[in-house]
Amino acid sequence: MIEFVLDCLVRTSVQVALLVVAILVVQRVAGRWLTPRWRYGLWLLVVLRLAIPVGFELPGGGIDKTVAEWCLAPSGTGERDPARARLTRDAGFIQMPVSSPRRSKDSESERAAKKHDEVTAVPARGVVASSRRTSTHRREPVAPIDWQSVALGGWAIVAIALVVLALARTLWFHRGVRRSVRVREGRALEILQECAARIGVGSDPVLVECPFVDNPAITGLRRAVVLMPPGLADTLDDAELRHVFLHELAHHKRRDVLSGVFVHLLACAYWFHPLVWFALHRLRATREVARDQEAIHADPQRDPLSYARTILKLCEGRPARSVPVPAIGLGLARTRVRDMQRRILMITQYGKFARSAPLIGGAALVGLVWLGFTDEAVDATRTSLSQKPDGQLAKIEVERHMEPPAWYTKLERALDRPMTLSIDEMPASEAVDVLRRTTGLNFVVDRDQIESVSDPDVSLTVEDTPLSEVLELLCDQVDGARYCIAREAFYLGGEDMPAVTELRFYKIGPFIGPNEDPGPVGDRIVDLVRTYASLRDTWTWDSDLASIEHWNGLLTVNQTRDMHRHVEAFLNRLLNRGKEPKKTPSKWRARVAETLRKVTSVRATDEEIGVLAKRLGKQHGVGILVDEDFSFEPVSVQLDEVTLGAALDWIASQHELRVTTDKGVLRIGQRRPTPRLEFFEMGALYRTSRFADRGDVQSYVEDLIRNRIEPDAWDDQYSIVFWKDLALVSADASVHGQIRSLLAALERAFRG
């Protein structure tokens, strides 16, 4: 209930702010093309949005997901059904709700007791242990402050106080009206009855001389009660009295007294929002102008200049006290000179507004309804506000144990240097020598480990490919080979790399909500980092030197500098909901795609795949690698005027192989493309699924993706997990495209 109310207040406040700004822009641009009635109608949209605490989907969509979650949530503790929390198939993650379940008091007490019983802490690597005194007195853990409840309580107290104050003023005002003198005969009463018949008020109005008002006003929900200061009627002529009464009776005809009470209650509810008070002030001002137009229209003379002089006469020499809520004055109380000038100008423009005002006003109304009443507008605004210029995305704060030396920074930057290289069936150790001569950098090869796999031949044909991808491509062709930066050189060898580890602290506070337990959130982030920080296993987390743990909003990671770069990049992407700084696209991707579209002719009879691939690669200037297990398999193909991509697919299909693109080369084998991590927004899908909670939607989407898109790959190479309202999918670009299309179709289906 608390989360529902706060979510409604926040979402409504955002949309009202957007609506107010948009109305001001529309009125500024439209100018005289909008009539006073249309201006008043646009401000009524703000009142309507404040009165409706939920947003809607257009067209035919469901209500805001937060409302459905609140209405359909189980009673009691509010904890989710344990059956809904199931393990994902890829890494054993548990799907968690947005707000973490609270731990029982017993478990918290036991944990606190264990901490007090510890005499010394076991020191971690590089960390000095601190001693603790034992204590026989065990304090109960202090419950965290529920700031949502505090905020909601403070809001309710102020809102109730404002309502009580308004009610007290209303009772005082009504007591004064009942004690006032009712006018039962005379010129003023006759003019009032004539005006009531002319403007279309059914019941006879009541005229009261009330000392509690300084200017004419009206009150009464069923029967109009016109309030006049004592002696004011004697100072006005018949035409001026007619102007005053027509204006006040127009308020009664449009039920402005009742709507004024409702508007004041909304102002009490949104007392914290300055734009709400501003919008309601503009609403009252435009309402007075609209009633001026109706009064002039009902006046038999229809003289706007005479009406304007009446308004100015009432302003002269009279105090400007506002009337309480159940009454509406003539709009003269606390009126700025600029507002009065605008009002007089609108009065004098009576009958001169453009005939196309309904068309312009209707178009503005449709746009403002979308902006103020749909969840898509809030999502679009949040997305646009979160899209900052490149280099200004939010970043995780990192505290380093030591700064990297200059030589490491130099080699790290060299990894992004593009290279053009052609190596044909050359031993791996000699290929590294070619890299050394080409780049001018130091490369150290562990020949013992390379020779343990017979120093296999490698082939590289790359163009404008970063050095990091060239090294990964080289290591892929040598079983068990890896590379790292160590001792002022690039090292290529096996698992026993001489990489130096470094301790860093990542502040993960931005991932932890105000009412979330840091423990489960930290566990979740640890699992995500271990799995997705680097999809290529450059350094195992199970090594004696590598470690990752969390405590008190800090993620403590002891890893190589190269792996730290991946960890920081992943956490930044997670913080920015998948966004990452724009990079210059690799030229090799466009070059390989263009090569695959080239038209060629292929003829082979029982020719080895490796030999045929080498021939086609030289012919089209692209590297084509064939897995060693299938390099000697024979193929027969007779194709004329086909694209190279189609020809390679026919060649691979004869042995149930696949063609993939990897780092500027083409591969033929059983391996799938190297998976990449992609983030998918699930918020809109959660809101459009009206009758299912978040956990059920996640389970349904995951089963749908696993069963319909590459079902054989999810248990081995691809994975999908959910983090709050994001889906993290590790797969190739083709699978990402299919998932994006599926989620869009599913969202449309839920809306319909």
Side-chain angles (χ1 to χ4, degrees):
M1 178 63 179
I2 294 177
E3 293 182 358
F4 166 71
V5 175
L6 289 178
D7 183 81
C8 289
L9 288 175
V10 172
R11 181 171 287 270
T12 303
S13 299
V14 172
Q15 286 185 306
V16 165
L18 296 175
L19 196 57
V20 169
V21 175
I23 291 175
L24 291 175
V25 173
V26 169
Q27 292 186 351
R28 181 73 174 179
V29 173
R32 297 183 180 181
W33 293 87
L34 283 180
T35 64
R37 183 175 295 182
W38 274 107
R39 290 174 179 270
Y40 176 57
L42 295 182
W43 286 114
L44 279 178
L45 289 178
V46 178
V47 176
L48 186 60
R49 183 62 187 93
L50 292 173
I52 302 176
V54 296
F56 295 91
E57 302 286 347
L58 291 179
I63 62 174
D64 190 357
K65 184 64 177 75
T66 55
V67 182
E69 289 178 348
W70 175 72
C71 294
L72 301 177
S75 58
T77 61
E79 297 181 358
R80 292 180 54 193
D81 186 358
R84 297 177 184 172
R86 65 188 185 86
L87 297 177
T88 56
R89 303 173 186 174
D90 56 315
F93 295 141
I94 298 178
Q95 296 179 355
M96 299 168 58
V98 174
S99 57
S100 302
R102 298 179 179 177
R103 298 186 178 182
S104 63
K105 182 178 291 187
D106 293 339
S107 62
E108 293 285 352
S109 301
E110 292 174 3
R111 190 173 65 177
K114 180 181 292 186
K115 288 184 178 181
H116 280 283
D117 286 341
E118 294 177 354
V119 179
T120 57
V122 179
R125 294 178 180 88
V127 181
V128 180
S130 60
S131 61
R132 301 179 182 176
R133 295 182 179 180
T134 58
S135 176
T136 58
H137 176 66
R138 298 177 179 176
R139 295 180 297 176
E140 290 293 331
V142 180
I145 299 176
D146 190 353
W147 292 109
Q148 289 187 351
S149 300
V150 173
L152 184 62
W155 165 80
I157 290 174
V158 177
I160 293 173
L162 292 176
V163 172
V164 171
L165 180 61
L167 182 60
R169 292 190 63 190
T170 300
L171 295 176
W172 171 82
F173 181 74
H174 271 290
R175 186 180 298 122
V177 171
R178 287 196 300 267
R179 294 177 181 178
S180 301
V181 179
R182 177 178 177 178
V183 179
R184 299 185 180 276
E185 60 182 7
R187 178 177 63 95
L189 183 60
E190 293 177 359
I191 296 176
L192 177 62
Q193 293 175 350
E194 176 192 348
C195 292
R198 184 174 295 277
I199 204 170
V201 175
S203 58
D204 292 336
V206 177
L207 182 60
V208 176
E209 287 189 346
C210 180
F212 298 100
V213 296
D214 298 319
N215 280 297
I218 192 170
T219 187
L221 299 179
R222 295 184 179 180
R223 189 176 184 183
V225 180
V226 179
L227 308 177
M228 296 285 287
L232 177 62
D234 298 335
T235 63
L236 302 176
D237 58 24
D238 292 354
E240 292 169 343
L241 280 176
R242 189 178 297 110
H243 295 157
V244 171
F245 291 152
L246 287 175
H247 181 97
E248 299 302 335
L249 292 175
H251 281 302
H252 183 77
K253 181 181 179 180
R254 299 300 180 183
R255 304 292 181 186
D256 290 340
V257 175
L258 179 61
S259 63
V261 175
F262 183 67
V263 166
H264 189 79
L265 292 177
L266 291 177
C268 294
Y270 290 88
W271 55 266
F272 57 89
H273 204 318
L275 286 182
V276 170
W277 291 92
F278 171 79
L280 298 183
H281 170 73
R282 297 302 309 153
L283 171 74
R284 299 184 185 98
T286 54
R287 180 183 62 191
E288 296 301 323
V289 177
R291 301 302 171 253
D292 288 337
Q293 299 290 319
E294 294 186 32
I296 297 173
H297 184 74
D299 187 10
Q301 298 180 357
R302 294 188 179 180
D303 186 0
L305 295 179
S306 176
Y307 186 92
R309 284 192 291 268
T310 301
I311 298 297
L312 292 175
K313 182 178 179 178
L314 293 173
C315 293
E316 294 177 355
R318 288 189 172 272
R321 290 187 304 175
S322 60
V323 293
V325 175
I328 295 179
L330 200 62
L332 306 178
R334 299 178 181 177
T335 303
R336 298 181 303 174
V337 176
R338 184 177 179 181
D339 293 337
M340 182 56 65
Q341 291 175 347
R342 185 186 296 113
R343 180 176 179 180
I344 297 300
L345 178 62
M346 297 297 287
I347 291 174
T348 58
Q349 294 296 320
Y350 172 77
K352 300 180 182 179
F353 295 100
R355 296 182 179 180
S356 58
L359 180 62
I360 298 176
L365 187 67
V366 172
L368 293 174
V369 166
W370 175 84
L371 183 66
F373 291 82
T374 63
D375 293 321
E376 287 88 347
V378 174
D379 296 336
T381 304
R382 289 177 175 176
T383 301
S384 62
L385 291 178
S386 61
Q387 290 178 349
K388 303 178 181 179
D390 186 22
Q392 296 185 12
L393 295 175
K395 293 184 178 181
I396 288 291
E397 295 186 42
V398 183
E399 295 294 338
R400 296 186 175 186
H401 181 243
M402 61 182 65
E403 293 296 328
W407 62 264
Y408 181 87
T409 304
K410 173 185 175 182
L411 294 179
E412 190 176 35
R413 292 176 179 174
L415 290 174
D416 297 327
R417 184 187 305 172
M419 290 191 60
T420 299
L421 192 66
S422 179
I423 297 176
D424 185 19
E425 294 186 358
M426 183 181 297
S429 56
E430 296 182 13
V432 174
D433 294 335
V434 174
L435 284 177
R436 183 184 298 109
R437 292 193 300 269
T438 305
T439 61
L441 301 174
N442 294 323
F443 287 85
V444 176
V445 179
D446 190 339
R447 297 185 179 274
D448 293 337
Q449 297 195 32
I450 295 296
E451 292 174 358
S452 64
V453 291
S454 301
D455 198 6
D457 292 340
V458 296
S459 298
L460 292 175
T461 302
V462 294
E463 182 179 352
D464 293 329
T465 303
L467 176 60
S468 60
E469 298 182 1
V470 173
L471 292 176
E472 291 178 4
L473 189 60
L474 178 63
C475 293
D476 285 343
Q477 300 182 56
V478 181
D479 292 338
R482 301 179 181 182
Y483 81 91
C484 69
I485 300 176
R487 301 168 189 168
E488 305 186 28
F490 288 105
Y491 169 84
L492 283 83
E495 294 185 357
D496 298 331
M497 295 188 296
V500 178
T501 60
E502 179 185 332
L503 185 66
R504 295 185 188 179
F505 302 94
Y506 298 85
K507 299 181 181 180
I508 58 174
F511 296 109
I512 304 173
N515 288 327
E516 286 185 307
D517 188 349
V521 177
D523 292 338
R524 180 73 163 174
I525 292 178
V526 167
D527 292 337
L528 291 175
V529 169
R530 290 175 65 95
T531 305
Y532 292 116
S534 178
L535 296 179
R536 176 180 173 83
D537 190 14
T538 55
W539 183 263
T540 175
W541 287 98
D542 299 328
S543 171
D544 294 337
L545 298 178
S547 65
I548 179 171
E549 58 186 7
H550 70 90
W551 179 79
N552 196 29
L554 286 179
L555 191 67
T556 306
V557 180
N558 189 46
Q559 263 289 359
T560 62
R561 292 190 178 99
D562 180 65
M563 194 63 184
H564 275 298
R565 183 164 53 92
H566 292 293
V567 171
E568 185 174 357
F570 170 76
L571 291 177
N572 287 332
R573 285 195 69 187
L574 190 64
L575 182 63
N576 291 286
R577 309 183 65 80
K579 301 183 184 67
E580 54 184 341
K582 294 181 180 180
K583 300 179 181 179
T584 303
S586 300
K587 296 181 180 179
W588 65 261
R589 298 182 185 276
R591 185 182 60 82
V592 171
E594 182 181 357
T595 303
L596 289 174
R597 291 192 295 266
K598 290 182 178 180
V599 178
T600 186
S601 298
V602 182
R603 297 183 179 276
T605 302
D606 292 334
E607 188 174 356
E608 296 179 356
I609 295 181
V611 176
L612 180 58
K614 182 179 179 180
R615 176 161 59 88
L616 291 175
K618 289 184 177 181
Q619 179 181 349
H620 296 282
V622 64
I624 303 178
L625 303 179
V626 181
D627 288 356
E628 292 183 358
D629 296 338
F630 306 96
S631 179
F632 301 101
E633 295 292 337
V635 293
S636 299
V637 61
Q638 304 291 328
L639 297 172
D640 293 322
E641 300 297 325
V642 297
T643 61
L644 178 61
L648 293 177
D649 287 337
W650 279 112
I651 294 172
S653 64
Q654 296 188 26
H655 295 280
E656 297 183 354
L657 304 178
R658 66 178 70 238
V659 180
T660 58
T661 304
D662 187 16
K663 304 176 185 66
V665 300
L666 299 174
R667 290 180 174 274
I668 300 178
Q670 289 185 332
R671 64 178 295 175
R672 298 179 182 273
T674 303
R676 285 179 51 84
L677 182 61
E678 192 70 26
F679 292 71
F680 296 90
E681 291 281 352
M682 298 286 292
L685 194 60
Y686 292 148
R687 288 192 298 274
T688 54
S689 56
R690 310 181 189 179
F691 308 111
D693 65 6
R694 182 166 300 191
D696 292 338
V697 173
Q698 292 176 355
S699 301
Y700 176 74
V701 170
E702 181 180 356
D703 292 339
L704 196 64
I705 291 175
R706 285 176 174 268
N707 295 329
R708 299 297 179 183
I709 302 176
E710 300 287 345
D712 298 333
W714 292 98
D715 293 332
D716 298 331
Q717 194 172 3
Y718 299 161
S719 64
I720 175 172
V721 296
F722 296 93
W723 165 261
K724 297 189 177 182
D725 56 349
L726 291 174
L728 281 65
V729 179
S730 171
D732 61 70
S734 174
V735 173
H736 289 157
Q738 296 181 60
I739 293 176
R740 190 175 292 106
S741 177
L742 185 145
L743 293 179
L746 190 61
E747 182 180 345
R748 293 194 299 269
F750 280 153
R751 289 182 179 178

